[in-house]
Amino acid sequence: TKNFNKRPTVPGALNPLLVACPRVGVVDHVVRGDYIQPRKNEFGQVLQQEFVDYNLYAIDVAADMSALDGIAKVAETLSQQGSQFQTEYTETYQKHVPIAHSRIGICLVHATGVTLPYYPAPRTYNTGEAYEEDVTEEPKLEMVELSDIEEPFNPLPVRAWTVDVTDTATLSKLCDAIREEVWPHLVALNAAAAALTPAEAAIAIDRKPTTGNKSVNEGTNCGGAALQVMADALQSVGGRVTLIAATRPRNGIGKLRNRDISATNYSRPYSEQSLRTPLQHHKLNKHDPRHSINKLGCPNLLEDAKSKGFYKNLASNCQKNKIAIDIVITDNNHSASLGGLNMEKPDNRNVDNDNDAIYLDVATLGELCRATCGNLKCLRASIQMPGQARKFLISRNMRKEYLRNELVRSATRISGKDAIFKLRCSSGLRVKSFHGLVPGNIIDDDLTVGGNGNSSPELEMPTCSVDTCISVAIDYKIGGIPKDQSMVYFQGALLYTCKRTGRRLIRIMTLSMRVTDNPADVYRGADLGVLAAVLIRSAIWDAAGSQKNDYDPESVKGNEGSSGRISTLQTSRDIAVDTCVEILSCYRLYTSAKKSPPAQLVLPESLQLLPLLILSLRKSSLLRPALAKGLGYAQSPSPTCDDRCFQQHYAMNVSPAVATLLVHPNVYCLTSMESSDGTMYTPSPVDMKNRSMGSSDEVDYEPYIRLPHPIHPSMSCLNDDGIHLIDDGFSLYLLVGNRVSGEKRNQLFATTNSNTSHNSDCLDISTTSDFGEKVGNIIHQLRTFHESRFTYAPLVVLSDSLDSTVHSHTPTENAIESSSNNSYEGILLNLLVDDPTSHEKGYVDFLCSLHRQIRNKVMSETYAETHGGF
């Protein structure tokens, strides 16, 4: 249980947090009885009550085989956690507490089917007294091939093809057999299928032939069928399923066609809006002949309608059966960049195999992950400039490291299963709605059951974790807060199943806040991090207004944002500015700031950075236009629809701790660090007294690595003779200036005499030099500073003329690759949000424009009050 107050930093000083004086209490209770509903099947039979944590993985054979190493690492970590939790609980409760055990299953996905490799359990025989295992016969690898990818199903009980994480020998033997026997065989099947004609391929995969040059190729997969098989396997026990693929599902049920086939998609707002809208929310009019055949003469209406129904039903069933879906996109030879890199595509945007493989339909896959409270990860980083070969900015070994860390993080982080969240308020207030696209499924009992208007909606989630962040809109009831009431109270209840013990718990979170009739107190108590998270969610909600109702590509009806205007990126950018003007004009009208001269821009102390936040939001990949002005169709879009949808997927669930980082990157100059930067530091009790929060939690005394002071993300702050580290929340960019001395480069990078590929140099951060060790410590601290960070941030080195100073060598686990200046110039300009662009002004010009709008609004409001309205 936690119970603490916020205190001022300096005695006698007015701390903004002291005005609200929040009191917070959090406590967990073990629940029984009606809170535990036995799970039943469709025939009303009670299902298995033993709590087992199932993790099923489907690996696309066109992806990287290193996924097997990541799965083995997941099993090892889960086994270690189980032993650790067992020891901790036994010491705490002084008795044996049963710990849930984990099981892992692996299936392989290829162009023509799904393969389930497994080792059967040892046979048992009756000795007359008991059943014993037959240990004389060593089990052999067995495989079940599912070739029906239009109507897939799980052919075996889930325990039959899963392995307990403590059985390391069987799991290791299974992974080795997959590498040596199963994987090469399936890769050969993919290659053979790619050489077939459309009719032959249709016979091979048992489906009707389609038009086009080839029905299947080496890069295709039937990921939708794999998801259905795994979801079917867990329908009675729940758990987590993970699809690791190189491309979007392109065969079988749930296949997704390439919707990004025209360069004009990014020049017309409603065309790009259609690309960003998940297929689950598209309105498909079967009677409209314009939707029956696309421009290439391929029928797409039937495919889209079938895929839409498949993903909606899959999400609904997974919500019902408490199954979370993770989708991990790994690299292959066709990979484009995601996760903050915003790489460019080739100028030729015709429909060819490369472009078809590049398009992932992140909007549709991300919606499936959001609805089931799963994770969407895109672990690919490459770039292709016109007339040049595609180049990976992140080495192969680093991509293995990222994949391993992301798989371990999803499976082992602290989480609860089968969760229900509900919030209630004290008298005078009510919960209006959940804000934005929240994870899981909203159940409004007050509407569905026929309530009296006092009930608040519930949020059902298959799983919730430490980085689950929910935004709720609060409204006044008729009559408002009673005048004799000096405090208001909010209480959240989270009912969930503990992943470690299988116990059903309810977490009660209570917050009390003071009531004030002074608007100035509201501004003093404002939290910029929380405000940033709310504004970002509102901006995405306005830009994705189509997701509230089915989206009709031929009509803008039903596609309105919170302001009632048509939802486009430009509208969302305008709404963000209007919101900022509304906040700051109210501060000017209803606080002591109204006495300030009209020509002076006055900002609240707690919201000094609000204009910068709004400008950065407009320039970020979330909202900025994909095409620069004046270049027409000759340019490549940046960001692409997949890039934008990937970042918007995380923006809708962003935590206040990392909200500002999402739109305003942090830039650190590593060549001008202080001597203590990059070193480990342990706070003392004296230091804790000077902290603004005044908390005495043990976590405040944990050691951490000191970071350099950040500088402005502007080209004017970057030195050509300096080394800078840029953090945008998704990736870490190490920018090495052209004039950095060879001695400094040798201190930063480790060197060997080995040779590598001619495409790029592979470099290691040095661990032998003092400077290299500090840089490595800073990178580690940035990756792990908060659990709500979006991804395990990859490190990308952007540098010129490294060949002349540093010898390349074979990459190791922390290898990084460099690129030439003309390759990363576009990336760098997109990160420097303080500089003007072809669409946006600089910060000073934006402040002048904002001040002008605030002054006009204040004058209008003053005139209305003086003359009794317009």
Side-chain angles (χ1 to χ4, degrees), residues 420-426 429-434 454-459 470-474 489-494 509-511:
I420 301 176
F421 175 75
K422 189 179 181 70
L423 180 69
R424 61 178 184 174
C425 313
S426 58
L429 300 175
R430 70 181 182 93
V431 177
K432 183 179 180 181
S433 64
F434 289 102
N454 294 323
S455 177
S456 60
E458 295 181 353
L459 180 62
I470 301 169
S471 178
V472 182
I474 307 296
Y489 302 91
F490 303 93
Q491 188 174 79
L494 179 68
M509 299 157 284
T510 306
L511 170 68

Side-chain angles (χ1 to χ4, degrees), residues 589-604:
L589 284 169
Y590 305 117
T591 67
S592 58
K594 61 184 177 182
K595 300 178 182 179
S596 302
Q600 181 180 357
L601 177 61
V602 182
L603 301 176

Side-chain angles (χ1 to χ4, degrees), residues 110-231:
H110 50 96
T112 60
V114 180
T115 302
L116 272 65
Y118 68 100
Y119 281 99
R123 297 180 180 179
T124 59
Y125 60 94
N126 191 352
T127 62
E129 298 179 357
Y131 287 92
E132 298 183 1
E133 293 184 355
D134 184 5
V135 297
T136 60
E137 182 179 356
E138 184 176 354
K140 297 181 179 180
L141 180 69
E142 296 187 6
M143 293 190 298
V144 176
E145 182 68 28
L146 303 176
S147 59
D148 188 356
I149 57 178
E150 295 295 342
E151 296 181 358
F153 63 95
N154 175 46
L156 298 171
V158 65
R159 292 186 67 91
W161 59 282
T162 57
V163 182
D164 194 292
V165 295
T166 58
D167 189 359
T168 56
T170 301
L171 186 60
S172 177
K173 184 169 61 172
L174 176 62
C175 292
D176 292 340
I178 291 176
R179 290 189 189 94
E180 298 171 3
E181 304 175 24
V182 185
W183 197 287
H185 170 67
L186 297 181
V187 170
L189 284 182
N190 268 14
L196 300 179
T197 64
E200 292 171 339
I203 297 175
I205 61 179
D206 192 22
R207 65 179 176 87
K208 296 181 179 179
T210 59
T211 57
N213 295 330
K214 291 183 179 181
S215 293
V216 293
N217 59 55
E218 295 184 59
T220 62
N221 67 75
C222 49
L227 290 173
Q228 182 62 59
V229 169
M230 294 188 292

Side-chain angles (χ1 to χ4, degrees), residues 413-419 461-466 496-499:
R413 61 183 173 179
I414 300 175
S415 61
K417 307 176 68 174
D418 191 5
M461 298 175 286
T463 182
C464 63
S465 63
V466 292
Y496 68 99
T497 300
C498 179
K499 184 179 178 180

Side-chain angles (χ1 to χ4, degrees), residues 14 38 46 57 92 100 110 127 129 150 198 231 279 402 452 472 494 568 592 597 606 611 626 670 673 696 838:
L14 181 60
V46 177
Y57 296 90
T92 301
H110 50 96
T127 62
E129 298 179 357
E150 295 295 342
L279 196 60
Y402 301 148
N452 56 6
V472 182
L494 179 68
T568 63
S592 58
S606 60
L670 302 181
M673 294 189 298
S696 59
S838 61

